[in-house]
Amino acid sequence: MNDDLILEDNWTGAEGANANGIPVMVRYRQNIREFIDTGSYPTKIEISWLYDTDEAAEMPTPGEATVMENFEAALIAALEGDKQSILVAVMTGQGEKHWQWYTANARMAQERIDMALLDFETLPININTKEDPNWNDYFDFIADFGGAA
């Protein structure tokens, strides 16, 4: 799948705050224009995790943050190896963490996610898919944080 495309692990991070001053951490992948331009990734998958906050920072507790990191690593291993799906953005704050992926095949991606989840206890996640062939959600996300694709 898309063997000619190079998926760099090049990310931009940003810190922000909502209107109430609650911190939000974001990161998004740069240098993915070739993936966008192929038209081969028309579906966005968003995985959301509601978490108990560390009250001082509104971020996940250290233990939950570690599970989230392991979960993300498992998904990357399951989805990105053959570039079937690519992780493009992550947002953490206000009691929620969101991973945004674009995929060539939502059904296949869901099967791979299900297999990756077998290594974990039940997690407080929701998975939603949306057709977004022009990557409008991705562009809106990075525009909010001053970036470019």
Side-chain angles (χ1 to χ4, degrees):
M1 173 153 299
N2 293 313
D3 291 331
D4 296 335
L5 299 176
I6 297 171
L7 184 58
E8 297 177 9
D9 200 23
N10 188 3
W11 294 82
T12 294
E15 255 184 73
N18 71 5
N20 297 323
I22 297 172
V24 177
M25 304 282 293
V26 299
R27 62 186 162 92
Y28 56 90
R29 187 171 246 145
Q30 297 179 327
N31 303 325
I32 57 173
R33 174 55 71 180
E34 289 180 342
F35 288 88
I36 297 167
D37 291 345
T38 67
S40 297
Y41 297 87
T43 307
K44 181 182 114 177
I45 297 173
E46 183 160 356
I47 301 174
S48 302
W49 179 318
L50 298 176
Y51 60 82
D52 293 327
T53 64
D54 173 347
E55 292 182 28
E58 294 278 339
M59 292 292 159
T61 61
E64 195 162 21
T66 297
V67 177
M68 289 176 176
E69 290 170 13
N70 293 338
F71 172 65
E72 182 177 315
L75 291 181
I76 289 169
L79 296 169
E80 285 191 347
D82 62 356
K83 302 175 196 134
Q84 190 275 335
S85 300
I86 59 172
L87 179 61
V88 299
V90 180
M91 183 178 75
T92 308
Q94 305 170 23
E96 295 184 64
K97 184 162 189 162
H98 299 272
W99 292 268
Q100 293 184 13
W101 298 79
Y102 278 83
T103 185
N105 184 310
R107 182 192 52 76
M108 185 182 295
Q110 184 63 57
E111 289 172 5
R112 292 178 181 199
I113 292 167
D114 291 345
M115 290 300 293
L117 286 171
L118 293 176
D119 293 333
F120 295 88
E121 299 285 329
T122 301
L123 299 176
I125 61 171
N126 289 308
I127 302 172
N128 294 299
T129 60
K130 173 184 175 184
E131 292 304 309
D132 188 14
N134 297 318
W135 291 51
N136 293 326
D137 287 354
Y138 171 75
F139 288 116
D140 289 346
F141 182 90
I142 61 173
D144 287 344
F145 297 98

